Amino acid sequence: MKISRFAKQFILLRFLIILLGIIAIIMAPSLVIAIANGETAMIRAFAFPMGIVSVLAGLSLLSLRKKNLHLNARDGFLLVFLTWVLASLLGAIPYFLGDAISLTDAIFESACSFATTGATTISDVEALPQSLLFWRSIGHWFGGIGIVLITVALMPVLGVGGFQLIKAETPGPEKEKITPKITVTAKLIFLAYGILTAALMLLYRLGGMNWFDAICHGFTVMASGGVSTRNAGIAYFNSGFIDGVSTVFMLLAGLNFSLYYRLLRGRFRDVLDNTEARAYLIIFLVSAALITVNLIPVYGSPGAALRHASYQTASILSTTGSAIADYETWPSFARTVLFFLMFIGGCSGSTAGGIKVIRHVVLFKQMGNELRRIIYPRGVFSIQLNKKVGRKDVIYGVAGFFFLYLIVVAVTTLVTAASGTDLFSSFSAALSITGNVGTGFGAIGPRHNYSAFPDHIKWLFSFVMIAGRLELWTVLVIFTPAFWRK
Amino acid sequence: MKISRFAKQFILLRFLIILLGIIAIIMAPSLVIAIANGETAMIRAFAFPMGIVSVLAGLSLLSLRKKNLHLNARDGFLLVFLTWVLASLLGAIPYFLGDAISLTDAIFESACSFATTGATTISDVEALPQSLLFWRSIGHWFGGIGIVLITVALMPVLGVGGFQLIKAETPGPEKEKITPKITVTAKLIFLAYGILTAALMLLYRLGGMNWFDAICHGFTVMASGGVSTRNAGIAYFNSGFIDGVSTVFMLLAGLNFSLYYRLLRGRFRDVLDNTEARAYLIIFLVSAALITVNLIPVYGSPGAALRHASYQTASILSTTGSAIADYETWPSFARTVLFFLMFIGGCSGSTAGGIKVIRHVVLFKQMGNELRRIIYPRGVFSIQLNKKVGRKDVIYGVAGFFFLYLIVVAVTTLVTAASGTDLFSSFSAALSITGNVGTGFGAIGPRHNYSAFPDHIKWLFSFVMIAGRLELWTVLVIFTPAFWRK
Ligand SMILES: [K+]
Ligand SMILES: [K+]
């Protein structure tokens, strides 16, 4: 028993070191860019962490024999959380060594990257070396695909609250024979992600971006990240084509990637019948239409109003969080619609954060059932999803998650307010960080960044955004005493 | 079948007219005050509606024979909703005829009264005739006892979502033999309400109020109403004793009145074991303690900080919504605690509004169960309430209600924002109105009232506060097509 536990810990450690090795590999292109540009400080900033991890990874691979020990759900939770924490810490080294930012800011920046929050403390990004901009972008991209793979392929197996839903739908993994099917699913999803990203980069290039900007924006938009290589963001390019392409791809990034898996397998019917995707698009269309009408007097023409409304709606709903206009100057109604979109977020199994559309759909349907139950007290009502009668008990997981999400937002708001930030800015920041949006209202509106927050708040935000990214349960369960018992 | 429907409609009508007759009787003391003070305009303002309704009530009682027709749940919903609507309309007549306020403002004022929201459009209440001040206070008082009787005695029978909970606890009504037990319960609860109100009035008089102020404040505080006969509110009396008494009685008004019923019957154990009451007091103590610490630098002494913190915490938690200080000038943390208290509200079966503590407790416990389920996937978890293992399916009703509540707040916020009110004030107003608090932040902060809102928003608010007061379902179900079918 005790030996097996040690063996397990070794295996966990090896897993983690391999994962860190992957981070080092992901850093390689940035190092190449640093060398090519002769950015001497950045060469050291990338070579140092890459060197450490490569040696560690190599040593551990040599020293540890291969064992086929079964990892249980708890090991899975720990592994996922530690992956994001260690990636954030390791990924912070280039920011810290390469640029004159504090350790706290470097870790916040790196956590924002792997959690695809896209928040920043750096106001003049154009002053950053290209290698660091590239690192920031590719970090988002891998954070995005990481979370998609985990939510579509791993979490249903771990039984994370509410994800039984997805488990029931996902064609891939069954608890018994996980490994081969997971590998197939993961490969096809990775392929879809790659194809979409490549297409987006090409479209950006066609729209007038240089290759570097096109690649970096391709990475961050597909990851629902939202950071830019330009201080003015996407607005820098001043192109209706680029705005439109961004709008469409932000929406695509917020869709469940198991849909692309199904498209690749030719199962079109499944995609059309997907309740969550339909609700997501309806929310987008209604919100964008309402904001468009509200913006016509502001922008003078329906076309310009539509361009801004659809971009900002897609950006907040998909939790990308970028802006091409200062929506804080928009009329109160448009801002309020955006505010409520922050409570929704994208689809499950996407790169988007937030509470997720599917949970709102389930609660909405439950609300309807209760109304019906009052009229027909003897009726029995189920929740239909994807044109199939669903299990009613999905409510348990969804209700628990919904409340946990609001509690996390409330606690984060209170701690932020205790540091002196005004009430609404604190609330908006907590919502934005928990949902991995990045932008918000007041002190974190589109004209601001996160530099003004005190260090302990940046640490809190870094933790909360990772917890939010990993669907909260995954992380919070580790902090319960029961997790460490047994 | 058709005849029975007509007979039913007659009975419904008679019920309503009797209820309106009761309103007319409640108006009588105000008419007496108007006559005693020689307020000629007010004599007409009260005599007119009283006359109309008395004649109607008398005629209908004569013309309609007594029938023991069974009223079903749907008739109950309609009856309850129409009672509040007609009471609000009838109760508006004295405001409209007696004072120089518009019809919309009069109806808003009257709806605020019967819904115990305590919001107002009148800034100089000291200029109002005594009879009208008395009418405003006694209206709150009857609104308060009305909702207590309905939630404790009627709603469990109607099967309103989430109220199965209370039904399981309430010693009184069973679906089979309603009438005799309901009458006993109702009488004892009315008695408890009366004793508490009389005690409060006496304490206010001892604290230095004149009899008129003591009686008016006794009525509105016990009803969680929060309006005053003074422009400065309770702060006018500048008495630590009065502030303390108010704090205690606001908290008492927010407790489930079935607890007083049990106290009167000597069942002390039930009261100590009551999960909702314990959670309510813990929320109060923790919030008041946090705000006290935050306010010490503001008020200079722990005593003054405690006085203000406990008053304001009790006022918001119990949805009374009165203020003895401009908490908008308090530090951000204290304001944020108050903001989140607005999402909670008092206990079920009290005069308080809001989502109610019991629903938060159920969701909180469900959240804990989900965490446990992740660690012990084969475990079965129930929700324990009042030291008894409860039914797990209370989640269905509670989750449905919780989501409906947030939807109502969101829609109200959007409509308010569309009228040009800023985002946070709109959100705060929607929360305050749905939860029958009355005060809030920004445009509805303690230095403001509702006079600046356009008429259509006042109409919306009047409707939403009645819906919120009647636990939403009761009202919204009437607006579904299914309600009118069958
Ligand atoms: K983001
Ligand atoms: K109130």
Side-chain angles (χ1 to χ4, degrees):
Chain A
M1 195 64 188
K2 211 156 194 192
I3 296 166
S4 134
R5 180 180 277 191
F6 269 115
K8 218 176 220 183
Q9 283 173 352
F10 270 118
I11 291 184
L12 277 177
L13 199 68
R14 200 180 59 187
F15 255 108
L16 282 174
I17 290 173
I18 292 171
L19 280 164
L20 294 180
I22 293 174
I23 307 274
I25 293 167
I26 299 170
M27 276 186 185
S30 304
L31 180 62
V32 171
I33 292 173
I35 294 168
N37 287 352
E39 301 162 357
T40 39
M42 291 314 301
I43 294 173
R44 196 178 54 119
F46 284 109
F48 175 64
M50 284 174 69
I52 293 177
V53 184
S54 303
V55 170
L56 273 175
L59 282 176
S60 68
L61 283 175
L62 285 176
S63 69
L64 293 166
R65 282 165 304 130
K66 193 159 189 161
K67 270 185 187 168
N68 271 321
L69 211 65
H70 179 70
L71 295 183
N72 63 22
R74 253 185 285 188
D75 305 323
F77 289 120
L78 212 52
L79 205 61
V80 166
F81 177 58
L82 288 178
T83 301
W84 253 264
V85 169
L86 289 176
S88 299
L89 293 177
L90 197 70
I93 299 177
Y95 294 102
F96 181 62
L97 290 182
D99 204 66
I101 65 173
S102 73
L103 188 61
T104 301
D105 282 3
I107 287 168
F108 179 80
E109 205 71 32
S110 180
C112 282
S113 174
F114 288 104
T116 78
T117 310
T120 186
T121 61
I122 304 163
S123 48
D124 187 7
V125 291
E126 287 172 18
L128 295 182
Q130 270 201 324
S131 57
L132 201 56
L133 285 174
F134 189 83
W135 173 234
R136 194 161 78 132
S137 301
I138 205 169
H140 277 88
W141 195 72
F142 275 98
I145 185 64
I147 202 65
V148 167
L149 291 178
I150 281 170
T151 46
V152 172
L154 190 62
M155 281 193 186
V157 185
L158 299 183
V160 176
F163 275 96
Q164 301 97 310
L165 273 178
I166 303 166
K167 190 186 170 188
E169 301 168 2
T170 312
E174 287 300 318
K175 230 176 188 170
E176 308 310 314
K177 295 186 279 175
I178 286 167
T179 338
K181 279 201 179 169
I182 273 195
T183 314
V184 174
T185 313
K187 274 183 186 162
L188 280 177
I189 284 176
F190 201 90
L191 182 67
Y193 193 62
I195 291 172
L196 283 170
T197 310
L200 177 56
M201 289 170 176
L202 208 64
L203 288 167
Y204 276 152
R205 181 74 188 91
L206 291 174
M209 288 192 190
N210 66 39
W211 271 117
F212 183 77
D213 286 340
I215 290 170
C216 286
H217 282 96
F219 280 144
T220 59
V221 168
M222 248 350 265
S224 305
V227 295
S228 176
T229 51
R230 302 293 177 176
N231 293 339
I234 290 279
Y236 170 89
F237 306 99
N238 196 19
S239 151
F241 177 77
I242 286 180
D243 290 352
V245 165
S246 303
T247 302
V248 170
F249 276 80
M250 289 190 290
L251 284 175
L252 291 176
L255 277 168
N256 191 323
F257 272 73
S258 72
L259 294 181
Y260 299 122
Y261 169 97
R262 282 172 227 198
L263 280 182
L264 285 175
R265 297 207 143 199
R267 307 231 295 259
F268 302 103
R269 191 76 238 167
D270 283 6
V271 177
L272 293 175
D273 286 350
N274 190 274
T275 306
E276 187 179 25
R278 292 157 74 109
Y280 173 72
L281 291 177
I282 290 168
I283 294 167
F284 168 75
L285 291 174
V286 171
S287 306
L290 288 172
I291 296 179
T292 300
V293 172
N294 199 227
L295 289 187
I296 291 174
V298 176
Y299 289 103
S301 81
L306 178 65
R307 172 176 163 184
H308 281 94
S310 54
Y311 183 95
Q312 205 54 53
T313 303
S315 169
I316 300 287
L317 184 63
S318 70
T319 74
T320 307
S322 61
I324 53 171
D326 182 8
Y327 56 76
E328 287 276 52
T329 63
W330 287 359
S332 184
F333 178 75
R335 294 172 66 238
T336 306
V337 174
L338 295 176
F339 173 66
F340 285 118
L341 290 178
M342 290 185 70
F343 284 87
I344 300 177
C347 298
S348 61
S350 73
T351 62
I355 290 175
K356 306 276 157 42
V357 172
I358 187 72
R359 297 199 176 92
H360 284 271
V361 168
V362 167
L363 288 171
F364 188 82
K365 290 187 174 226
Q366 174 58 20
M367 182 182 89
N369 280 352
E370 280 302 304
L371 269 178
R372 258 170 249 125
R373 210 186 45 69
I374 289 172
I375 300 172
Y376 310 107
R378 280 176 201 83
V380 175
F381 306 100
S382 64
I383 287 172
Q384 191 174 327
L385 293 173
N386 306 340
K387 304 230 162 158
K388 290 177 205 108
V389 175
R391 288 151 45 186
K392 202 186 173 190
D393 59 0
V394 296
I395 295 295
Y396 292 128
V398 171
F401 179 88
F402 198 85
F403 197 71
L404 174 63
Y405 196 95
L406 297 182
I407 293 270
V408 169
V409 169
V411 171
T412 308
T413 305
L414 284 167
V415 178
T416 309
S419 79
T421 308
D422 73 277
L423 164 50
F424 189 56
S425 292
S426 301
F427 187 51
S428 158
L431 258 179
S432 184
I433 289 293
T434 314
N436 303 114
V437 181
T439 188
F441 299 92
I444 61 152
R447 269 169 304 129
H448 302 275
N449 66 31
Y450 283 73
S451 56
F453 287 103
D455 277 4
H456 73 278
I457 297 295
K458 287 173 189 161
W459 284 94
L460 172 74
F461 284 176
S462 302
F463 175 77
V464 171
M465 74 176 72
I466 290 175
R469 180 73 288 187
L470 301 175
E471 301 287 333
L472 299 178
W473 299 120
T474 329
V475 173
L476 294 182
V477 78
I478 297 171
F479 293 87
T480 60
F483 184 85
W484 298 99
R485 249 183 263 134
K486 197 172 89 171
Chain B
M1 192 69 189
K2 212 154 194 197
I3 295 165
S4 135
R5 180 181 277 190
F6 269 115
K8 220 175 220 184
Q9 283 172 355
F10 271 118
I11 291 185
L12 278 176
L13 199 68
R14 200 178 57 187
F15 256 108
L16 282 174
I17 289 172
I18 292 172
L19 280 164
L20 293 180
I22 293 174
I23 306 275
I25 293 168
I26 299 169
M27 275 186 185
S30 305
L31 179 62
V32 172
I33 294 173
I35 294 168
N37 288 350
E39 300 162 359
T40 38
M42 290 314 300
I43 294 172
R44 194 180 54 120
F46 285 108
F48 175 64
M50 284 173 69
I52 291 177
V53 184
S54 304
V55 170
L56 272 176
L59 281 178
S60 67
L61 282 175
L62 286 176
S63 69
L64 294 166
R65 282 164 305 131
K66 195 162 187 159
K67 270 187 188 166
N68 270 322
L69 209 65
H70 178 69
L71 295 184
N72 62 21
R74 253 184 288 188
D75 304 324
F77 290 120
L78 212 52
L79 205 60
V80 166
F81 177 58
L82 288 178
T83 301
W84 254 263
V85 169
L86 290 176
S88 300
L89 294 176
L90 198 69
I93 298 176
Y95 295 102
F96 181 63
L97 291 182
D99 204 67
I101 64 174
S102 72
L103 187 62
T104 301
D105 282 2
I107 287 168
F108 178 81
E109 205 72 30
S110 179
C112 283
S113 175
F114 289 103
T116 79
T117 309
T120 186
T121 60
I122 304 163
S123 47
D124 186 9
V125 290
E126 288 171 20
L128 294 182
Q130 271 200 325
S131 57
L132 200 57
L133 286 173
F134 190 83
W135 173 234
R136 194 160 77 133
S137 302
I138 205 170
H140 278 87
W141 196 71
F142 276 98
I145 185 62
I147 201 65
V148 166
L149 291 178
I150 280 170
T151 47
V152 172
L154 188 62
M155 280 195 189
V157 185
L158 299 184
V160 175
F163 275 95
Q164 301 96 315
L165 273 177
I166 303 165
K167 190 187 170 188
E169 301 166 5
T170 312
E174 288 299 319
K175 234 176 184 170
E176 308 310 313
K177 295 187 279 175
I178 287 168
T179 336
K181 280 200 178 170
I182 273 195
T183 313
V184 175
T185 313
K187 275 184 185 161
L188 280 176
I189 284 177
F190 201 90
L191 183 68
Y193 193 63
I195 292 172
L196 283 170
T197 308
L200 177 57
M201 289 171 176
L202 210 63
L203 287 167
Y204 275 152
R205 180 75 187 90
L206 291 175
M209 286 191 190
N210 65 39
W211 271 118
F212 184 76
D213 285 340
I215 289 169
C216 287
H217 282 95
F219 280 144
T220 59
V221 168
M222 245 356 261
S224 306
V227 294
S228 176
T229 50
R230 302 292 177 176
N231 293 337
I234 290 280
Y236 169 89
F237 305 99
N238 195 20
S239 152
F241 177 78
I242 286 179
D243 289 353
V245 165
S246 302
T247 303
V248 170
F249 277 80
M250 287 190 291
L251 284 175
L252 291 176
L255 277 168
N256 192 322
F257 273 72
S258 73
L259 294 180
Y260 300 122
Y261 170 96
R262 282 173 227 199
L263 281 181
L264 286 174
R265 298 208 139 197
R267 306 230 298 258
F268 301 105
R269 191 76 239 165
D270 282 6
V271 177
L272 292 175
D273 287 350
N274 190 274
T275 306
E276 187 179 24
R278 294 158 73 110
Y280 173 72
L281 290 177
I282 290 169
I283 294 166
F284 169 74
L285 291 174
V286 171
S287 306
L290 288 172
I291 295 180
T292 300
V293 172
N294 198 228
L295 287 187
I296 291 174
V298 176
Y299 288 102
S301 80
L306 179 66
R307 172 176 163 184
H308 281 94
S310 54
Y311 183 94
Q312 205 54 55
T313 303
S315 169
I316 301 286
L317 183 62
S318 70
T319 72
T320 307
S322 61
I324 53 170
D326 182 7
Y327 55 76
E328 286 277 52
T329 63
W330 288 359
S332 183
F333 177 74
R335 293 172 65 238
T336 305
V337 174
L338 294 177
F339 172 65
F340 284 118
L341 290 178
M342 290 183 71
F343 284 88
I344 300 177
C347 298
S348 60
S350 72
T351 61
I355 290 175
K356 306 278 156 40
V357 172
I358 187 70
R359 296 201 177 92
H360 284 272
V361 169
V362 167
L363 287 170
F364 188 82
K365 290 188 176 227
Q366 174 58 20
M367 181 182 89
N369 280 353
E370 279 301 304
L371 269 178
R372 261 171 247 123
R373 210 188 44 71
I374 289 173
I375 300 172
Y376 309 107
R378 278 174 202 86
V380 175
F381 307 101
S382 64
I383 287 174
Q384 192 176 324
L385 292 174
N386 306 341
K387 303 229 164 161
K388 290 177 207 108
V389 176
R391 287 151 47 185
K392 205 189 169 189
D393 59 0
V394 295
I395 296 295
Y396 291 128
V398 171
F401 180 87
F402 199 84
F403 197 71
L404 174 63
Y405 196 94
L406 298 182
I407 294 269
V408 169
V409 169
V411 171
T412 308
T413 305
L414 284 167
V415 179
T416 310
S419 79
T421 309
D422 72 279
L423 164 49
F424 189 57
S425 293
S426 301
F427 187 49
S428 160
L431 258 179
S432 185
I433 290 293
T434 314
N436 303 114
V437 182
T439 187
F441 300 92
I444 60 151
R447 269 170 303 130
H448 301 275
N449 66 32
Y450 284 73
S451 56
F453 288 102
D455 277 4
H456 73 280
I457 298 295
K458 287 173 190 162
W459 283 95
L460 172 74
F461 285 175
S462 302
F463 175 77
V464 171
M465 73 175 74
I466 290 175
R469 179 73 290 186
L470 302 176
E471 302 287 334
L472 299 179
W473 296 122
T474 328
V475 172
L476 293 182
V477 79
I478 297 171
F479 293 87
T480 60
F483 184 85
W484 298 99
R485 249 181 264 135
K486 199 170 90 171

